[in-house]
Amino acid sequence: MSNGWKDHLGASSSEPLPVVIIGNGPSGICLSYLLSGYNPYVKPDAIHPHPVLQRKLTEAPGVSIVDQDLDYLSEGLEGRCQSPVALLFDALLRPDTDFGGNVESVLTWKHQKERAIPHLVLGRNLPGGAWHSIEGSMVTLSQGDWMGLPDLQVKDWMCRKRRGLRNSRATAGDIAHYYRDYVIKKGLSHNFVSGAVVTAVEWGTPEPSSPGARDPSPLFQVNGFVTTADQSQQPFSLCARNVVLATGTSDSPARLGIPGEALPFVHRDLSALEAATRAGTVSPSSDPVLIIGAGLSAADAVLYARHYNIPVIHAFRRSVDDPGLVFNQLPKVLYPEYHKVHQMMREQSILSPSPYEGYRSLPEHQLLLLREDRQAVFRDPRGLQKVFGIALVLALIGSHPDLSFLPGAGADLATDPNQPLSAKRNPIDVDPFTYQSIHREGLYAVGPLAGDNFVRFVQGGALAVASSLLRKEARKPP
């Protein structure tokens, strides 16, 4: 990454940055692209298959999408997302993908340097964020092309890398590499600071500089540290007029809330199973690995263990046929491996004969406690207790965003301030067409924090934020 960011990280900088983005995953990368002066326009000869949207797009020829009325353009669109702007941007980038079509994007991109807004993107990892923490051979849930960012399709990038999509899906390793490469190819590297940990964000309102000055914008103080090449930690303090939260939700794994949860053989990441397999701690002849959870991370762990013939006990609190289970929402043709796990969950309960050697399913079981001698105590649906000897525990029951760097850990920013912040159930309350916090001017949230949980749809949030920030810049006095 470029060293130009060092000029911004000094504590004595007097002029605040227009924008600081916290998080360098797909949301942060896409927003950086838009703030770097890359503006989307409708191709003059493009015909969108959605007739109402097509008519609206012809009403403002030659006007960038970021300068148009996003509320008006997105009205009436439907799809697999609750955000109107996310549906709009997705419809422009992938016009008929939900219907199996391959109509090209109706957008063309123009680099207009004079419209760029200075900004920094702070991230703990390399650009791509949490994608660098996922086991590289895992196949993405979404189709590969849905993981792409503007103006560089995943399939084109993979073709140049002599890589291929697997059943229209890519590996997590390829996607992480794609995001890192995207930042370089689009000339965004000077905006990115890797190894940056934000420890505090504070806000306030500055005093007007003179009696005739315009109303001051809110200012944010962003404090943290950067881990340098020699592993030393360099503190920084930034002043910004706008802060965008793009940290995702993988920072703080959900807790089991039971005795024994802190024992050393309890883990919350698939990498622990990989390490134990390499070390020989778990093997085909060891006690089973206890995998807790009924989501895709748990399914990935089951698939990994099965690949190495490691015995598994798979416990989850829901019924196998619960419509809320993600397996009951995935097309079988696209996701055969996940449906195989779902089939195992259904057919191999502890009460059934064993069609799958080395795998036991415990539906509707609640883990009560874990003992130091590696005994796991459960309560079954009938209220009876069962005890199993286990070698390792993987508690893959989801995660929560870690916004401990915000006042009150961001609790008062949620849609329901009385409930824990949750990407799926209680996201940050934002304006749907700007993604600015309802409760705090100048503070934005994108991606899972705002309720957009798929890469395909997080880009709409970046469009909304960029549009809002460009309008703010236009209102500045000369």
Side-chain angles (χ1 to χ4, degrees):
M1 297 292 111
S2 168
N3 288 329
W5 54 266
K6 290 182 179 178
D7 298 334
H8 298 289
L9 296 184
S12 60
S13 179
S14 58
E15 182 62 26
L17 269 169
V19 185
V20 168
I21 302 167
I22 304 175
N24 64 356
S27 299
I29 296 173
C30 185
L31 180 54
S32 178
Y33 180 70
L34 292 164
L35 294 182
S36 297
Y38 290 93
N39 285 281
Y41 291 80
V42 177
K43 297 174 184 175
D45 56 346
I47 304 295
H48 198 284
H50 191 295
V52 177
L53 180 56
Q54 169 61 21
R55 175 180 57 78
K56 293 178 180 180
L57 293 174
T58 61
E59 293 173 3
V63 179
S64 171
I65 295 296
V66 296
D67 296 321
Q68 296 192 39
D69 185 340
L70 301 182
D71 187 349
Y72 173 66
L73 288 181
S74 60
E75 186 180 13
L77 294 178
E78 297 180 350
R80 304 180 184 183
C81 178
Q82 299 299 313
S83 164
V85 182
L87 290 174
L88 170 65
F89 204 27
D90 185 64
L92 297 173
L93 291 170
R94 290 169 280 270
D96 63 346
T97 187
D98 279 337
F99 301 99
N102 56 1
V103 174
E104 288 189 1
S105 170
V106 299
L107 298 179
T108 184
W109 294 85
K110 298 180 182 180
H111 192 199
Q112 299 166 304
K113 292 182 179 180
E114 70 281 3
R115 303 202 68 196
I117 298 178
H119 62 280
L120 279 184
V121 186
L122 308 177
R124 294 170 180 263
N125 299 313
L126 295 169
W131 284 92
H132 291 284
S133 304
I134 301 173
E135 202 281 315
S137 65
M138 290 297 173
V139 180
T140 61
L141 173 62
S142 298
Q143 293 187 42
D145 280 345
W146 292 357
M147 312 300 293
L149 298 174
D151 205 28
L152 180 59
Q153 291 191 42
V154 169
K155 63 181 180 182
D156 294 340
W157 177 86
M158 293 189 74
C159 184
R160 288 198 290 271
K161 296 290 181 181
R162 291 183 169 84
R163 303 283 292 169
L165 297 176
R166 188 185 308 175
N167 194 19
S168 81
R169 294 150 67 198
T171 66
D174 281 335
I175 294 302
H177 188 188
Y178 163 83
Y179 290 141
R180 186 180 178 186
D181 219 26
Y182 184 95
V183 169
I184 297 170
K185 288 183 178 299
K186 296 300 182 183
L188 311 178
S189 297
H190 63 284
N191 297 317
F192 282 73
V193 185
S194 297
V197 175
V198 174
T199 56
V201 175
E202 301 170 349
W203 44 67
T205 302
E207 293 296 324
S209 57
S210 66
R214 66 187 179 100
D215 290 340
S217 298
L219 283 182
F220 298 85
Q221 195 74 32
V222 181
N223 300 322
F225 61 87
V226 176
T227 302
T228 59
D230 62 1
Q231 299 305 304
S232 63
Q233 293 182 347
Q234 172 188 338
F236 67 81
S237 183
L238 292 167
C239 194
R241 297 201 179 277
N242 301 277
V243 168
V244 183
L245 304 174
T247 56
T249 64
S250 60
D251 286 327
S252 182
R255 310 290 292 182
L256 292 164
I258 61 166
E261 183 171 14
L263 289 168
F265 57 86
V266 181
H267 303 277
R268 291 170 178 82
D269 195 290
L270 178 58
S271 61
L273 178 57
E274 298 165 9
T277 304
R278 288 194 298 269
T281 309
V282 296
S283 68
S285 58
S286 71
D287 281 337
V289 170
L290 172 58
I291 297 172
I292 306 171
L296 298 179
S297 296
D300 285 337
V302 170
L303 291 167
Y304 182 91
R306 296 285 292 169
H307 178 75
Y308 289 98
N309 295 315
I310 296 166
V312 169
I313 295 175
H314 184 193
F316 44 98
R317 297 180 64 171
R318 294 187 183 188
S319 161
V320 181
D321 297 314
D322 187 324
L325 279 189
V326 67
F327 307 104
N328 292 316
Q329 304 168 22
L330 298 177
K332 290 185 178 181
V333 174
L334 284 179
Y335 306 101
E337 74 279 31
Y338 289 136
H339 278 279
K340 183 63 176 178
V341 172
H342 193 209
Q343 181 182 354
M344 292 163 61
M345 292 163 65
R346 173 179 286 108
E347 296 181 2
Q348 181 41 53
S349 75
I350 195 66
L351 302 175
S352 306
S354 178
Y356 303 103
E357 185 178 353
Y359 174 88
R360 284 180 166 179
S361 171
L362 300 181
E364 300 180 81
H365 279 60
Q366 181 178 357
L367 182 61
L368 300 178
L369 65 97
L370 294 164
R371 296 173 177 159
E372 290 187 22
D373 60 354
R374 298 184 188 248
Q375 298 286 307
V377 181
F378 285 90
R379 183 167 57 228
D380 73 8
R382 297 178 296 172
L384 301 177
Q385 287 194 6
K386 295 175 181 173
V387 182
F388 299 95
I390 44 94
L392 186 81
V393 178
L394 281 184
L396 303 173
I397 54 175
S399 59
H400 302 295
D402 180 7
L403 298 181
S404 57
F405 55 85
L406 293 179
D412 59 339
L413 302 174
T415 303
D416 182 353
N418 298 315
Q419 298 295 323
L421 192 66
S422 165
K424 293 183 178 179
R425 290 175 292 277
N426 192 31
I428 291 177
D429 197 2
V430 297
D431 181 288
F433 301 104
T434 66
Y435 279 61
Q436 185 169 223
S437 166
I438 297 296
H439 304 288
R440 180 63 55 181
E441 182 188 350
L443 185 69
Y444 296 80
V446 291
L449 290 177
D452 297 336
N453 291 293
F454 290 96
V455 172
R456 176 182 170 188
F457 295 117
V458 302
Q459 300 171 61
L463 175 68
V465 174
S467 176
S468 174
L469 292 173
L470 282 166
R471 291 176 195 276
K472 284 185 179 181
E473 288 293 304
R475 290 197 297 267
K476 278 187 177 180

